Amino acid sequence: MTQTLAYLQNLLAIPSPTGFTTEVMDYVQETLESLDYEVQRTPKGMAVVRVNGQDNEQHRIVTAHVDTLGAIVRGIKPDGRLKLDRIGGFPWNMIEGENCTVHVASTGEQITGTIMIHQTSCHVYKDAGSAERNQDNMEVRLDAKVTNEDETRKLGIDVGDFISFDPRTTVTETGFVKSRFLDDKVSAAVLLNLLRQYKEEGTQLPQTTHFIFSCIEETGLGANSSLHENAVEYLAIDMGAIGDDQQTDEYTVSICTKDASGPYNYEFRQHLVGLAKAHEIPYQLDIYPYYGSDASAAMSAGAEVKHALLGAGIESSHSYERTHLDSIVATEQLVDAYLKSDLVK
């Protein structure tokens, strides 16, 4: 997993809330071009690599997304702190106390800060612990000497500036990877490493396959407008959700049977299960009740494909996430087995 982990750490280090993804997409493109792949950048900013297979009549799509949760400046308060609006779906309490960076559009500078509830001090505010965390009372405390709105505006900060959260990436000696945004940079790292292996080993896949690195998934848009007309299968590689009543864990690959959009294609799902069994890849089947993927967005847009979803098991999704190298290995093995397999019957 050395190279996959290196790709993952590089991706995690690049701020990329949805709508502010040029730098991370440039990294993806430059990495792929260094491997001698031709990369197409779509008008929406996605990176697409076509790998010709033995069969050029029926194509496959595989996606992973590199955009993340984040925030945007909604306003500047009289005391110089910032009001927020969320990018992506997460409760406010999941970012309380998080260090962040304001990306100032007018100057190109970066100003750090911390996301806090307004009534933070328990020595001053009686409801510091009980107050609802919401858009009205969450704010950014800037690491700058500002005491009023005018001083903050003199820094160049304005409504619409993007705010990224510190990933705090840690790899433990026991094999756990802790970080924000493992959803879905784990999957992107897996695809980058598989593409590296295929190029170095001269692997020819059975089907022409389009690898799409999406950058608008967290807002529900997905990679649904760049599908080749010959595509018949669509595999989204994203996180597996862990929690009560879930089978998904941090040590296997999770195969999704249904999410909030409805069931995934049964034959495709069983094809993946068969591959996992044949290759002795540890897996779990699961339902993600409050979830959507690039593949489900494509189906909503009318794509005429079989669709499936799998991914590494991610603990504490959309918060400070964690997975284990075992899960990343299992995910990479199953994606590899699928890409080398025949079409779903």
Side-chain angles (χ1 to χ4, degrees):
M1 292 303 295
T2 302
Q3 188 57 59
T4 302
L5 188 58
Y7 286 141
L8 175 58
Q9 291 173 309
N10 290 340
L11 288 166
L12 291 168
I14 303 173
S16 56
T18 308
F20 190 76
T21 56
T22 298
E23 183 180 356
V24 74
M25 295 310 302
D26 285 347
Y27 169 79
V28 170
Q29 179 172 352
E30 290 165 6
T31 300
L32 291 168
E33 288 178 342
S34 72
L35 298 170
D36 202 28
Y37 284 105
E38 182 177 339
V39 181
Q40 174 194 359
R41 290 285 283 273
T42 73
K44 290 183 179 179
M46 294 182 285
V48 183
V49 171
R50 172 175 172 157
V51 177
N52 289 325
Q54 296 171 0
D55 179 1
N56 197 34
E57 296 299 318
Q58 295 180 297
H59 296 192
R60 284 172 162 157
I61 304 289
V62 292
T63 67
H65 71 88
V66 295
D67 62 310
T68 70
L69 306 174
I72 200 164
V73 176
R74 178 171 174 260
I76 302 174
K77 304 179 75 171
D79 62 0
R81 296 191 177 191
L82 306 181
K83 296 181 179 181
L84 301 171
D85 197 21
R86 289 175 293 187
I87 297 174
F90 57 91
W92 286 103
N93 64 289
M94 289 189 173
I95 60 169
E96 183 177 3
E98 190 64 84
N99 289 327
C100 64
T101 300
V102 181
H103 302 270
V104 184
S106 63
T107 65
E109 295 183 1
Q110 299 180 1
I111 300 174
T112 62
T114 307
I115 299 170
M116 314 286 288
I117 188 172
H118 174 74
Q119 51 269 48
T120 300
S121 175
C122 61
H123 296 98
V124 177
Y125 300 100
K126 185 177 181 179
D127 63 343
S130 60
E132 179 186 357
R133 274 58 177 163
N134 56 40
Q135 191 178 62
D136 294 330
N137 58 20
M138 297 297 290
E139 60 190 22
V140 173
R141 179 186 67 192
L142 293 169
D143 297 329
K145 289 185 176 181
V146 294
T147 59
N148 56 58
E149 178 181 352
D150 184 59
E151 290 174 345
T152 295
R153 288 193 178 276
K154 286 180 179 179
L155 297 175
I157 295 174
D158 202 350
V159 171
D161 286 344
F162 283 90
I163 300 170
S164 61
F165 311 148
D166 286 11
R168 292 187 286 135
T169 304
T170 300
V171 182
T172 73
E173 293 182 357
T174 51
F176 288 99
V177 183
K178 302 188 293 185
S179 182
R180 286 193 177 274
F181 317 132
L182 298 178
D183 167 23
D184 184 36
K185 291 183 175 180
V186 165
S187 304
V190 164
L191 288 187
L192 287 174
N193 193 50
L194 287 175
L195 284 165
R196 178 192 65 83
Q197 290 179 359
Y198 297 159
K199 181 64 70 171
E200 292 179 355
E201 297 169 5
T203 301
Q204 185 174 26
L205 301 176
Q207 308 298 140
T208 292
T209 304
H210 303 262
F211 294 78
I212 302 179
F213 293 85
S214 169
C215 58
I216 49 176
E217 193 273 348
E218 291 293 358
T219 51
L221 299 177
N224 55 46
S225 56
S226 303
L227 307 188
H228 195 278
E229 60 183 4
N230 289 5
V232 296
E233 294 178 4
Y234 190 128
L235 176 64
I237 311 166
D238 210 325
M239 67 162 197
I242 296 175
D244 292 344
D245 299 323
Q246 299 293 108
Q247 295 192 134
T248 299
D249 57 41
E250 297 174 84
Y251 315 107
T252 62
V253 57
S254 179
I255 301 172
C256 183
T257 67
K258 176 187 178 295
D259 65 12
S261 69
Y264 283 76
N265 182 269
Y266 177 75
E267 288 76 20
F268 200 162
R269 180 242 288 187
Q270 290 303 98
H271 181 74
L272 295 172
V273 170
L275 290 171
K277 290 179 177 179
H279 292 271
E280 299 183 342
I281 301 168
Y283 75 96
Q284 297 285 1
L285 291 172
D286 225 331
I287 291 172
Y288 313 154
Y290 310 110
Y291 190 111
S293 71
D294 277 319
S296 59
M299 298 301 286
S300 297
E304 187 58 54
V305 293
K306 291 182 174 73
H307 72 312
L309 168 63
L310 64 81
I314 303 296
E315 163 63 27
S316 301
S317 60
H318 282 196
S319 186
Y320 186 51
E321 298 167 342
R322 191 182 78 165
T323 192
H324 194 275
L325 291 176
D326 288 351
S327 187
I328 302 176
V329 169
T331 300
E332 188 165 306
Q333 288 175 337
L334 185 52
V335 175
D336 181 47
Y338 164 68
L339 292 173
K340 293 175 178 175
S341 72
D342 295 330
L343 288 170
V344 176
K345 295 180 180 178

